[in-house]
Amino acid sequence: MLKYILIPLLPLLSFIINILFGRNYIKNRAHWIAVPAILGSFVLAVSACIEVLNGKVIDINVYSWIVSGSFNVSVGILIDQLTAVMLMVVTSIGSLIFIYSVGYMHGDKGYYRFFAYLSLFIFSMLTLVMANNFLIMYLGWEAVGLCSYFLIGFWFHKKSAGDAGKKAFIVNRFGDFGFGLGVILIFLTFGSLNYMEVFGAAGGIVGQTITLLGYKVDLITLICLLLFCGAMGKSAQFPFHVWLPDAMEGPTPVSALIHAATMVTAGVFMVARCNTLFSYSQTAMNTVAIVGGFTAIFAATIALVQNDIKRVIAYSTVSQLGYMFLALGVGAYSAGVFHLYTHAFFKALLFLGSGSVIHALHHAKQDDEQNMQVMGGLKKHMPITYWVFILATLSITGIPFLSGFFSKDEILWQTFQAGDLGKFLWFLGALAALLTAFYSWRLIYLTFHGEYRGDTECESRIHESPLVITIPLMLLAVGAVAAGWVGIPPVFLEHGDKIGYFLAPVLGHPEGHGTHAQEYFVIASSIFVAIAGWVIAYIMYIKNPGLPEKLFSAFRPVHKVLFNKYYIDEFYDKTIVQPVLKASDKIILAFDVNVIEGVVNGVPSLIGVFSKGLRKIQTGLLSNYAAVMAIGVLCVVGYMFFMR
C-alpha cells in the first residue's frame, strides 16, 4: 500500500521542503528537490500501471477521514484502467515539463516558489485522479484550481497576470458551485460518496424525479448536469471558456502542464469516471455532446485570427477539449479518453515549443516576444524547435499515421455512427478539423518561415534553446508521433484499438453500427480536411503573403468579431462584472459608513462620554469618597435585607 500512497506524497513532500526552505536556503537549487520527486512518482506510477495491465484493480481505504452519522468518507485510492492512463499522462509529461522548467525559469527570482507550486499541483492532480470517492476527488479538484491561480499569477508584479489569475479563479467558482451541489445531491440520493457504491446503485434511481422550483426534474439527469457544470468550468467549455486564454499570462511550462495536458482534462476525466451515471440520462449525454461540438468549432474560429502564439494554442486547447466532450456525449468514452491521452503529448509539445521561441526572443531582447506578426524566419535559428513543432502540428491536424490522427478520427467515426444528431456533430467536428489545420499551419508559417519581421539587431541574438529545454521537446515529439499507436483502429489492424479494449472494463466499448465503407469515408474526409487546411494556409502565408490582409479588409466586420473573441468578455463585463462592482461599491460604502465607522468611531466616543462622567467623581476630597463608600455599604446591606 505504501508505494501507492507515495505516488502523490512525493510531490507533496517536495512542495513542503521548497516552500519552507526555498527562499533562504535552497533558492535556485529547488529543482534538485522537485525533479527527483516527480520522477519517483513516475516510476511508482509505471509499477502500478503494470499491475493494472496484469488485471489487478487497486481499491484501498487508507483511513477514515469523516464519520458523522451516516456520512462516512475515507481517504481512499482507486487505480483502475482509467486512473492508469491518467497517471501515465500526469507523471510522464509532468516529469518532462519539470526538467524543461529548469532551463526556462533559470534566473527567475521566484524559482523556488515556482517548483513548490508546480509540485503542489502534481500532488493535487494525482489526488484527483486516484480518489475512490467524490469528496476526495472534489478536494483534488479545488486544489488544482488553487494551484492554477497561484501559477497564472506567478509573476504577480504584472497587473495582467494578477487579473488573469483572479479571472480563472472566479469563473471556475461558477462551475465548481454546480459540481459541489452535484456531490451533495449524490450523497442525499445514494447515502454514499464511494464510486463503486454510487455506480452500483445508479440503476435503481432511473425514472425518479424531484421537484425543483415547482417543476418535476429527472433526478439522475439533474445530478449529471450539475457534475457537468463543474466539468465545463474546469475544462473551459462555452460559456466558461473565457478564463483559459487569459491564463497564458503564466509561465509557459504552466500553460503546457496545467492548461493543456492535465488540469483542464480533469472535467473530461470526471465525466468519463461517471459514465455509468451519464449513460442513464440521454438528456445529459446530448447536452455534453452539443456543448462539446459547439465549443470545438467556436474556439477554432477565434484561433484563426489571433496573433499571440500562446493564445492560438490556448484556443486550440479549448477546441480539442470540445472534441473530447463530443466523444463522451455520444457514448464513446474510450475515444474521448484516448484523445485526452494523445492530446497531452502533442499539445504540451506545442506549448513548450512556443516557450522555446519565447525564451529565444526574450534573450534576444525583442519587445513583443509572443506576437507572431513580428516573428518569421526562425527556422534557420532554431532547427530543433522548428522540427518538433512540425511533428506536433502534423499530429494535431490528423495527418496519418501520427497520434492525433488515430484519436481524432476515432471520435469522428464514433460521432458519425450516433444517429442524426451524431451526423450533425460529425460535420461540426470535421469543420473544426479543417480550421485546426489552417490555424496550426498559419502559426508555423508566421513564426518559422519567410523573413524575420522584428528588429534586425534582435535577430542576430536569436539562437536555439539549451539542451535542458530541447531534450524534453524531442521526447515529447516521440509521444506526438507514436503515443497513438496503441489505438490503431481494427479497420487498419485486425487486433488494433488496444487502448479501447484496455479501458473497456471501466468505460465499456461502444458497438459499431456503421460499415467499413462508411468508416473509410470518415477517415478519407478527415484526411482531406487536414490537407485542405494545410494547403489554404500555405497559399495564404507562403505563396501569396499579401492575401490575408486583403481578405481581412474585405471581411473586416467578421475579422473584427473573431479577433475580439465574439465580444464575450465585453458582454460579461457589461452584464455581470460592472453591475456587481457598482452594487458592491454601494453596499460596501453603506456598510463602511454606517457599521464599520459607526463601531470604530462610536466606541471611542462612548468611552469618552463615560470617562467624562467618571472624572467628575474624582474630586480629590476625602469626605466625598467616604460618602460614596457609605452609600455603597448601605446599598449592599439593603439588598441583603430585602432579599432574605
Side-chain angles (χ1 to χ4, degrees), residues 247-265:
M248 300 303 104
E249 290 288 341
T252 300
V254 173
S255 304
L257 179 62
I258 297 183
H259 304 123
T262 54
M263 186 197 79
V264 292
T265 63

Side-chain angles (χ1 to χ4, degrees), residues 78 80 82 131-134 137 186 190 192-205 220 223-224 227 269-278 280 506-507:
L78 172 63
D80 57 6
L82 177 58
N132 71 351
N133 64 75
F134 283 97
M137 177 198 269
I186 285 172
F190 298 100
S192 174
L193 292 176
N194 183 273
Y195 293 152
M196 298 308 164
E197 293 179 15
V198 170
F199 300 152
I205 68 165
I220 202 162
I223 290 173
C224 291
L227 294 177
F269 166 79
M270 185 266 287
V271 174
R273 172 62 75 197
C274 300
N275 69 89
T276 304
L277 298 175
F278 280 85
Y280 283 121
V506 182
L507 304 180

Side-chain angles (χ1 to χ4, degrees), residues 52-73:
V52 175
L53 278 170
N54 292 328
K56 182 178 180 180
V57 173
I58 299 138
D59 187 1
I60 53 177
N61 289 320
V62 180
Y63 66 91
S64 292
W65 180 27
I66 302 174
V67 179
S68 178
S70 61
F71 185 56
N72 192 331
V73 177

